[in-house]
Amino acid sequence: MRSHLVLLSLSFLSACSGGGSEPLRKDNTTTPSITQTAQCGDSFSAQRNLNKQEINTAYWQIEGEQLQTKPQVNFFTTRSSSLAETSYRGSETLCEQVANIFGADIRETWQGAETSSIKPGQQLKYTPELSLSFSLPNFASLADWRAQGSPRSVTTQLAKSTLTVWYENNEDQRFLQGELVNNQKELPLNCENNAFQLTVLLSEIDSQFSANLNPAYCEESRNGNITKTSCLNVSLAETVAIEQCQFALTDVYIPDSQGNKTAVKLAGKVSAATDSGVILNVDGIDIN
């Protein structure tokens, strides 16, 4: 039976979906031959500090393919994020919206339909989130991990990265219009160093949770009348070293205060910040 994983977040993140369908103004996946557009000027730039780091732990699971997950780290903005700047000073709507999302920390008035997260007339802001998923270690079972010397740290590679722009209400609650899959775009990163460290642990877990895990990666121990279950798990090292990474023109969904979103092509860089976060720098844009 194939091994699968379940993802457990180490920090709670509230995300409530709102509303039904959401109109898209365009979603063109053809890569253009230009990196700038006249509408946004010849030297567009916007950068923002994604200062919050959320690391998740993955356990091997036995259920369907759709549940397979990988070690992951998410970077997003919080109230304490201070770095946000942009060179754009024009009035083109889409250029200004990209500059506000990735180069400012402003609030707008919600003009869309009422949802469980926000009502018309209430204030909101935009919170970009960069999510990085990593390749799994090559352990066939708990016994195989032990046969390989029970390593506590292994090297892995970046497998996938995505970018999502969330709304955030006055209560610091993040939400989307529609499902995550309809708001998130893959953002292929080309990094100078694609080697990252995974921490491998054998951890005691709740017996109810263990029913969903692959027993090949778990073991039981008894102490008197008490039975304990421990399972192998993996997560990114506490400090994730993101060196200089670049992304070519790629579609990213850009939301607005009416609940609509537009696919805009962005290019730029991701680099480590002085805190535990990253700096996301957009220096290429195509709104055509």
Side-chain angles (χ1 to χ4, degrees):
M1 182 177 298
R2 295 186 56 185
S3 300
H4 300 283
L5 293 168
V6 64
L7 189 67
L8 296 182
S9 175
L10 296 184
S11 60
F12 176 76
L13 183 62
S14 175
C16 299
S17 296
S21 60
E22 58 282 357
L24 292 181
R25 290 165 61 179
K26 64 176 183 174
D27 186 2
N28 179 13
T29 57
T30 303
T31 302
S33 59
I34 58 175
T35 58
Q36 304 288 341
T37 61
Q39 295 98 322
C40 299
D42 296 327
S43 57
F44 180 94
S45 69
Q47 65 173 345
R48 195 163 179 186
N49 180 11
L50 309 187
N51 65 311
K52 175 65 175 179
Q53 180 185 117
E54 178 192 73
I55 296 177
N56 300 301
T57 297
Y59 290 82
W60 278 265
Q61 187 162 342
I62 60 176
E63 296 184 0
E65 182 72 21
Q66 71 275 13
L67 294 177
Q68 181 175 345
T69 55
K70 296 180 180 180
Q72 182 173 309
V73 59
N74 303 319
F75 297 98
F76 52 94
T77 56
T78 65
R79 183 175 294 180
S80 61
S81 178
S82 58
L83 176 58
E85 57 185 30
T86 179
S87 66
Y88 185 70
R89 297 294 183 269
S91 58
E92 162 59 43
T93 301
L94 266 180
C95 303
E96 185 175 15
Q97 187 69 350
V98 172
N100 287 339
I101 291 173
F102 295 102
D105 187 20
I106 66 170
R107 290 194 174 272
E108 294 185 357
T109 301
W110 179 250
Q111 303 175 56
E114 179 176 338
T115 73
S116 59
S117 301
I118 199 166
K119 297 179 180 180
Q122 292 182 338
Q123 294 292 292
L124 67 93
K125 66 178 182 179
Y126 303 98
T127 305
E129 179 184 61
L130 177 67
S131 298
L132 309 180
S133 299
F134 299 85
S135 300
L136 303 170
N138 188 25
F139 301 134
S141 63
L142 176 58
D144 182 47
W145 172 67
R146 285 180 168 141
Q148 295 186 40
S150 303
R152 297 293 180 177
S153 179
V154 294
T155 301
T156 186
Q157 291 187 330
L158 179 63
K160 182 180 179 180
S161 51
T162 60
L163 186 61
T164 310
V165 180
W166 295 75
Y167 296 105
E168 185 175 302
N169 62 23
N170 285 332
E171 298 178 352
D172 298 330
Q173 180 188 52
R174 302 195 308 166
F175 65 96
L176 297 170
Q177 284 293 95
E179 299 298 323
L180 176 62
V181 67
N182 296 322
N183 289 272
Q184 186 178 80
K185 282 290 191 177
E186 186 169 354
L187 191 76
L189 292 179
N190 181 16
C191 301
E192 292 183 1
N193 182 6
N194 195 30
F196 300 87
Q197 291 299 308
L198 278 179
T199 298
V200 187
L201 295 174
L202 181 61
S203 304
E204 183 179 338
I205 63 170
D206 184 89
S207 59
Q208 293 182 342
F209 176 64
S210 66
N212 297 319
L213 302 184
N214 190 327
Y217 296 87
C218 301
E219 67 179 7
E220 291 186 348
S221 60
R222 291 185 62 85
N223 184 4
N225 295 326
I226 300 176
T227 299
K228 296 182 179 181
T229 302
S230 299
C231 295
L232 200 65
N233 60 83
V234 291
S235 62
L236 268 293
E238 185 172 341
T239 301
V240 182
I242 302 294
E243 297 188 11
Q244 192 68 40
C245 301
Q246 298 183 357
F247 56 95
L249 281 173
T250 305
D251 276 344
V252 174
Y253 286 134
I254 303 299
D256 63 22
S257 60
Q258 296 180 345
N260 303 322
K261 59 180 179 286
T262 303
V264 176
K265 292 186 181 298
L266 304 180
K269 304 178 181 65
V270 178
S271 57
T274 54
D275 52 24
S276 61
V278 295
I279 302 297
L280 177 62
N281 187 348
V282 175
D283 57 16
I285 181 172
D286 176 23
I287 65 173
N288 291 326

